[in-house]
Amino acid sequence: MKVMYRVWWAFLGLACAALGGYLIVADPNMRTTGLICAPIGLAVFGIQVFMLVSRGNK
């Protein structure tokens, strides 16, 4: 169950990073939001992948 939880949060982090990247490129009015959203999404994704790789299903 924990593995699916971590995969789900990794997916959400990646989606947040993609949304942030889209906002940075496509919409000048939302660039600040994109600059906040993209690194947070990448951090969530990176943490979840690290936890999956290092600890597995513990």
Side-chain angles (χ1 to χ4, degrees):
M1 191 65 183
K2 273 190 178 178
V3 170
M4 288 308 296
Y5 171 81
R6 297 217 186 275
V7 169
W8 173 246
W9 276 101
F11 172 75
L12 288 179
L14 202 57
C16 181
L19 175 65
Y22 171 76
L23 291 176
I24 291 169
V25 173
D27 191 357
N29 294 326
M30 295 293 285
R31 184 160 290 146
T32 303
T33 304
L35 288 170
I36 293 168
C37 187
I40 291 173
L42 285 176
V44 169
F45 176 73
I47 290 168
Q48 294 305 320
V49 168
F50 173 75
M51 295 295 273
L52 277 169
V53 171
S54 67
R55 293 173 43 150
N57 196 19
K58 294 181 182 176

